[in-house]
Coordinates of all heavy atoms in Angstrom, one line a residue:
I110 N -37.1 31.6 -32.9 CA -37.9 30.5 -33.4 C -37.0 29.5 -34.2 O -37.1 28.3 -34.1 CB -39.1 31.0 -34.2 CG1 -40.1 31.7 -33.2 CG2 -39.8 29.8 -34.9 CD1 -41.2 32.4 -34.0
R111 N -36.2 30.1 -35.1 CA -35.3 29.2 -35.9 C -34.4 28.4 -35.1 O -34.2 27.2 -35.4 CB -34.5 30.1 -36.9 CG -35.3 30.9 -37.9 CD -36.1 30.2 -38.9 NE -37.4 30.0 -38.5 CZ -38.4 31.0 -38.5 NH1 -38.1 32.2 -38.9 NH2 -39.6 30.7 -38.1
T112 N -33.8 29.0 -34.0 CA -32.9 28.3 -33.2 C -33.7 27.1 -32.5 O -33.1 26.0 -32.3 CB -32.3 29.2 -32.1 OG1 -33.3 29.7 -31.2 CG2 -31.5 30.3 -32.8
Q113 N -34.9 27.4 -32.1 CA -35.7 26.3 -31.4 C -36.1 25.2 -32.3 O -36.0 24.0 -31.9 CB -36.9 26.9 -30.7 CG -36.6 28.0 -29.7 CD -35.6 27.6 -28.6 OE1 -35.9 26.7 -27.8 NE2 -34.5 28.2 -28.6
Q114 N -36.4 25.5 -33.5 CA -36.8 24.5 -34.5 C -35.6 23.6 -34.8 O -35.7 22.4 -34.8 CB -37.2 25.2 -35.8 CG -38.6 25.8 -35.7 CD -39.0 26.6 -36.9 OE1 -38.1 27.2 -37.6 NE2 -40.2 26.7 -37.3
L115 N -34.4 24.2 -34.9 CA -33.2 23.5 -35.2 C -32.7 22.6 -34.0 O -32.3 21.5 -34.2 CB -32.1 24.4 -35.7 CG -32.2 25.0 -37.1 CD1 -31.3 26.1 -37.3 CD2 -32.0 23.9 -38.2
L116 N -32.9 23.2 -32.8 CA -32.5 22.4 -31.6 C -33.4 21.2 -31.5 O -32.9 20.1 -31.1 CB -32.6 23.3 -30.4 CG -31.5 24.3 -30.2 CD1 -31.8 25.3 -29.1 CD2 -30.2 23.6 -29.9
R117 N -34.7 21.3 -31.8 CA -35.5 20.1 -31.7 C -35.1 19.1 -32.8 O -35.0 17.9 -32.5 CB -37.0 20.5 -31.9 CG -37.9 19.2 -31.9 CD -39.4 19.5 -32.0 NE -40.1 18.3 -32.1 CZ -40.6 17.8 -33.2 NH1 -40.3 18.4 -34.4 NH2 -41.2 16.6 -33.2
L118 N -34.8 19.5 -34.0 CA -34.4 18.6 -35.0 C -33.1 17.9 -34.6 O -32.9 16.7 -34.8 CB -34.2 19.4 -36.3 CG -33.5 18.6 -37.5 CD1 -34.4 17.5 -38.0 CD2 -33.2 19.6 -38.6
L119 N -32.1 18.7 -34.1 CA -30.8 18.1 -33.7 C -30.9 17.2 -32.4 O -30.0 16.5 -32.2 CB -29.8 19.2 -33.4 CG -29.4 20.0 -34.7 CD1 -28.7 21.3 -34.3 CD2 -28.5 19.2 -35.5
G120 N -32.0 17.3 -31.7 CA -32.1 16.6 -30.5 C -31.4 17.3 -29.3 O -31.1 16.6 -28.3
G121 N -31.2 18.6 -29.4 CA -30.6 19.3 -28.3 C -31.7 19.9 -27.4 O -32.7 19.3 -27.2
G122 N -31.4 21.1 -26.9 CA -32.4 21.7 -26.0 C -32.7 20.9 -24.8 O -31.8 20.6 -24.0
G123 N -33.9 20.4 -24.6 CA -34.3 19.7 -23.4 C -34.0 18.3 -23.4 O -34.2 17.6 -22.4
K124 N -33.5 17.7 -24.5 CA -33.3 16.2 -24.6 C -32.3 15.7 -23.6 O -32.5 14.7 -23.0 CB -32.9 15.8 -26.0 CG -32.8 14.3 -26.1 CD -32.5 13.9 -27.6 CE -32.5 12.4 -27.7 NZ -32.3 11.9 -29.0
E125 N -31.2 16.5 -23.5 CA -30.1 16.0 -22.6 C -30.6 15.9 -21.1 O -30.0 15.2 -20.3 CB -28.9 16.9 -22.7 CG -28.3 16.9 -24.1 CD -27.9 15.5 -24.7 OE1 -27.1 14.9 -24.1 OE2 -28.5 15.1 -25.7
G126 N -31.6 16.7 -20.8 CA -32.1 16.7 -19.4 C -33.3 15.7 -19.2 O -33.9 15.7 -18.2
G127 N -33.6 14.9 -20.2 CA -34.7 13.9 -20.1 C -36.0 14.6 -20.1 O -36.3 15.7 -20.6
Q128 N -37.0 13.9 -19.4 CA -38.4 14.4 -19.3 C -38.5 15.8 -18.8 O -39.1 16.6 -19.4 CB -39.2 13.4 -18.4 CG -39.8 12.3 -19.1 CD -40.7 11.5 -18.2 OE1 -41.0 11.9 -17.1 NE2 -41.1 10.3 -18.6
G129 N -37.8 16.0 -17.6 CA -37.9 17.3 -17.0 C -37.4 18.4 -17.9 O -37.9 19.5 -17.9
G130 N -36.3 18.1 -18.7 CA -35.7 19.1 -19.6 C -36.7 19.5 -20.6 O -36.8 20.7 -20.9
K131 N -37.4 18.6 -21.2 CA -38.3 18.9 -22.3 C -39.5 19.6 -21.8 O -40.1 20.5 -22.4 CB -38.7 17.6 -23.1 CG -37.7 17.3 -24.2 CD -38.3 16.2 -25.1 CE -37.3 15.9 -26.2 NZ -37.8 14.8 -27.1
E132 N -40.0 19.2 -20.6 CA -41.2 19.9 -20.0 C -40.8 21.3 -19.7 O -41.6 22.2 -19.8 CB -41.7 19.1 -18.8 CG -42.3 17.8 -19.2 CD -43.0 17.2 -18.0 OE1 -43.7 17.9 -17.3 OE2 -42.9 15.9 -17.9
E133 N -39.6 21.6 -19.2 CA -39.1 22.9 -18.9 C -39.0 23.7 -20.2 O -39.3 24.9 -20.2 CB -37.8 22.9 -18.2 CG -37.1 24.2 -17.9 CD -38.0 25.1 -17.0 OE1 -38.9 24.7 -16.3 OE2 -37.7 26.3 -17.0
W134 N -38.6 23.0 -21.2 CA -38.5 23.7 -22.6 C -39.8 24.2 -23.0 O -40.0 25.3 -23.5 CB -37.9 22.6 -23.5 CG -37.4 23.2 -24.8 CD1 -37.4 24.5 -25.3 CD2 -36.7 22.5 -25.9 NE1 -36.8 24.6 -26.5 CE2 -36.4 23.4 -26.9 CE3 -36.4 21.1 -26.1 CZ2 -35.8 23.0 -28.1 CZ3 -35.8 20.7 -27.2 CH2 -35.5 21.6 -28.3
V135 N -40.8 23.3 -22.9 CA -42.2 23.7 -23.3 C -42.7 24.9 -22.5 O -43.3 25.8 -23.0 CB -43.2 22.5 -23.0 CG1 -44.6 22.9 -23.2 CG2 -42.9 21.4 -24.1
R136 N -42.4 24.9 -21.2 CA -42.8 26.0 -20.3 C -42.2 27.3 -20.8 O -42.8 28.3 -20.9 CB -42.4 25.7 -18.9 CG -42.9 26.8 -17.9 CD -42.3 26.6 -16.5 NE -40.8 26.9 -16.5 CZ -40.3 28.1 -16.6 NH1 -41.0 29.2 -16.6 NH2 -39.0 28.2 -16.6
R137 N -40.9 27.3 -21.1 CA -40.2 28.5 -21.6 C -40.7 29.0 -22.9 O -40.9 30.2 -23.1 CB -38.7 28.2 -21.7 CG -38.0 28.2 -20.3 CD -36.5 28.1 -20.5 NE -35.9 29.2 -21.2 CZ -35.6 30.4 -20.8 NH1 -35.8 30.6 -19.5 NH2 -35.1 31.3 -21.5
L138 N -41.0 28.0 -23.8 CA -41.5 28.4 -25.1 C -42.9 29.1 -25.0 O -43.2 30.1 -25.7 CB -41.6 27.2 -26.1 CG -40.2 26.7 -26.6 CD1 -40.5 25.5 -27.4 CD2 -39.4 27.7 -27.3
S139 N -43.7 28.5 -24.1 CA -45.1 29.1 -24.0 C -45.0 30.4 -23.3 O -45.8 31.3 -23.6 CB -46.0 28.1 -23.1 OG -45.4 27.9 -21.8
E140 N -44.0 30.6 -22.4 CA -43.9 31.9 -21.8 C -43.4 33.0 -22.8 O -43.8 34.1 -22.8 CB -42.9 31.8 -20.6 CG -43.5 31.2 -19.4 CD -42.5 31.2 -18.2 OE1 -41.4 31.9 -18.3 OE2 -42.8 30.6 -17.2

Side-chain angles (χ1 to χ4, degrees):
I110 290 168
R111 298 296 93 72
T112 62
Q113 300 307 294
Q114 290 172 325
L115 287 165
L116 283 169
R117 177 176 176 263
L118 171 66
L119 290 166
K124 183 172 183 179
E125 300 303 298
Q128 271 184 10
K131 275 193 176 176
E132 290 191 42
E133 174 64 16
W134 195 359
V135 169
R136 185 190 66 78
R137 283 184 60 82
L138 290 178
S139 62
E140 285 185 8

